[in-house]
RNA sequence: UCCCCAGUAGCUCAGUCGGCAGAGCAGGUGGCUGUUAACCACCGUGUCCGUGGUUCGAGUCCGCGCUGGGGAGCCA
């Protein structure tokens, strides 16, 4: 008999007659002449209630089935006599595929997230993490669908990069050299004999590559892993995370902001429509205000706020901040939180930042003081998108690089794009895990990625 | 990297003023019930994170270290 997934047994409109279900036992409750078995196969949040009667030839074994054990159940799919579930399976055969010993660490009770992180290989078997990772899969699909619907092409940009100067953050070095015998020149490692014949690192962003493809295919996006060797110890940072980076030719900052807002709103709506059961768990047990937050994210128009005006609002607020607000300084977390959580109470897109605090590739505005940058801030998480219109004017770009004492030679190919058919273009990076945090209300990034990598943590 | 907090049974935690180490859950045994975080009775469980010190005596006080969490910085 062909296996039926449990979500189909639970969503059924009519009895399905005789079925085969396979999964893991969440709990067992014994009655005098029969047992209730809660079976979960990960296809949905809900468990299938299985009735195992004493007439089963292995009933003595069945009564010993422990939480976490794997079983295959055949039986009749019938309306449940008890409350709490519509359907149940009256078993006529239960095969114990594997009995989990009583050392199985997951119990029928709430565990802390901290404990579950120490058993990250088992935590997807819990209700909460199962729900989170089903949502993660749907969210990734929603992203691809969003871009495909709008004619964007998906580009696979390299994970290994040859430049140590992509801009953002500390890099993870990649080498095939024997680290006990690294050849040196002038006291520095000599990469000439290494795999690529030069220094190599893990990517911190696919942006520069994506720009090249935007200037060929028009609208493109990347969606892949990104690596930062920053010693960040916060609930919002991971050393390995997934980033979505659209890049659009013939697009200015306004169009860029519009796409960011549209993207967040569309994918959140899709999760609300397609993952109602899983979302309900988070609304109930993780963040009581989740549905309100999501509704707000979907319904409200995101504020467009020039950095200059943000500074004015913060100065006028009369609120005492730990760090002073001053034009030319980057806004602190507390300032961003005030704007999005207290002042506007909805997502805020800050734009046109001073060029002194932004990287070389952002387009310099006519005031020659600000650049066409934008950050999308959402309540409680903070920055979820960072992007800009790119500097398409070769002379201005080279001048900016000189200003920042950057060598232009390694960027010869990047600068080529400004020599041949250069056009205004824009893009941004969306932190996929931060989007997950927004959607689920989970407050720690380590709990929305299967096996989190953070400083001093690479188990599993 | 900096600041703050925590570390006690498999898990979640309590432990008073420095005076013999506790509960609930999980597990085991028996009972009861179309049950649903089932229920009732009984049973076992410890490097009190490590290390050095103060003290007649340290889970408790002090120093150092490790691990975890929260906040800050960096950013997605």
């Amino acid at each position: 008999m062909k296996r039926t997934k449990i979500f189909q047994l639970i969503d059924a409109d009519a009895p399905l007659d005789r079925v085969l279900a396979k999964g893991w036992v969440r709990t067992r409750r014994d009655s005098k002449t029969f047992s209730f078995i809660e079976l979960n196969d990960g296809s949905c949040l809900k468990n299938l209630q299985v009735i195992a009667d004493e007439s089963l030839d292995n009933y003595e074994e069945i009564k010993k089935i422990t939480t976490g054990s794997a079983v295959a159940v055949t039986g009749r799919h019938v309306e449940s006599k008890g409350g709490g579930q519509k359907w149940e399976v009256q078993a006529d055969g239960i095969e114990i595929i594997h009995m989990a010993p009583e050392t199985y660490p997951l119990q029928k009770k709430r565990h802390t997230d901290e404990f579950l992180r120490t058993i990250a290989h088992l935590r997807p078997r819990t209700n909460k993490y199962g729900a989170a990772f089903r949502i993660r899969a749907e969210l990734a699909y929603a992203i691809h669908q969003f871009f495909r619907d709008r004619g964007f092409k998906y580009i696979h940009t390299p994970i290994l990069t040859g430049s140590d100067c992509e801009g953002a953050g500390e890099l993870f070095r990649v080498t095939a050299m024997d680290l006990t015998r690294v050849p040196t020149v002038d006291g520095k490692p000599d990469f000439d004999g290494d795999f690529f014949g030069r220094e190599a690192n893990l990517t911190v962003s696919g942006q520069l590559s994506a720009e090249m493809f935007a200037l060929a295919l028009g609208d493109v996006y990347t969606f892949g892993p990104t690596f930062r060797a920053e010693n960040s110890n916060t609930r919002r940072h991971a050393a390995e995370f997934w980033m979505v980076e659209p890049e659009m030719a013939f697009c200015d900052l306004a169009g860029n902001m519009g796409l960011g807002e549209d993207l967040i709103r569309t994918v959140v709506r899709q999760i609300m429509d397609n993952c109602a059961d899983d979302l309900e768990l988070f609304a109930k047990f993780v963040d009581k205000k989740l549905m309100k937050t999501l509704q707000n994210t979907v319904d409200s128009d995101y504020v467009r706020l020039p950095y200059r005006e943000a500074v004015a609002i913060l100065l006028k607020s009369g609120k005492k901040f730990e760090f002073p607000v001053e034009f030319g300084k980057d806004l602190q977390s507390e300032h961003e939180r005030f704007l999005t959580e207290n002042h506007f109470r909805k997502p805020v897109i800050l734009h046109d930042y001073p060029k002194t605090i932004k990287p070389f590739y952002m387009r310099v505005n006519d005031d020659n003081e600000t650049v066409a940058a934008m950050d999308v801030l959402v309540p409680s998480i903070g920055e979820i998108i960072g992007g800009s219109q790119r500097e398409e004017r070769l002379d201005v770009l080279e001048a900016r690089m000189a200003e920042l004492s950057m060598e232009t030679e390694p960027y010869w190919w990047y600068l080529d794009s400004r020599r041949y058919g250069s056009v205004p273009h824009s893009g941004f990076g969306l932190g996929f895990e931060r989007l997950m945090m927004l959607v689920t209300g989970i407050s720690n990034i380590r709990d929305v990625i299967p096996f989190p990598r953070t400083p001093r943590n690479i188990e599993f």
Side-chain angles (χ1 to χ4, degrees), chain A residues 265-320:
Chain A
R265 198 183 272 140
T266 305
V267 299
V268 169
R269 161 63 62 196
Q270 186 160 335
I271 296 301
M272 291 172 80
D273 290 345
N274 296 350
C275 302
D277 279 2
D278 288 329
L279 264 184
E280 194 188 329
L281 178 148
F282 293 104
K284 227 158 139 184
F285 300 115
V286 176
D287 176 6
K288 299 264 185 236
K289 292 180 298 185
L290 181 64
M291 295 322 290
K292 219 176 126 190
T293 303
L294 296 184
Q295 206 60 56
N296 185 245
T297 304
V298 166
D299 290 341
S300 55
D301 289 324
Y302 299 6
V303 177
R304 305 288 200 278
L305 185 70
Y307 167 91
R308 199 181 294 275
E309 284 176 32
V311 170
I313 287 172
L314 290 164
L315 288 174
K316 262 196 313 204
S317 72
K319 193 168 154 42
K320 279 268 179 286

Side-chain angles (χ1 to χ4, degrees), chain A residues 9-15 46-49 77-89:
Chain A
L9 300 177
I10 283 172
D11 286 347
D13 295 322
K46 292 198 181 88
N47 300 323
L48 175 70
Q49 176 159 289
H77 179 258
V78 295
E79 226 163 302
S80 178
K81 286 184 217 162
Q85 61 281 316
K86 189 169 181 201
W87 304 105
E88 65 188 20
V89 168

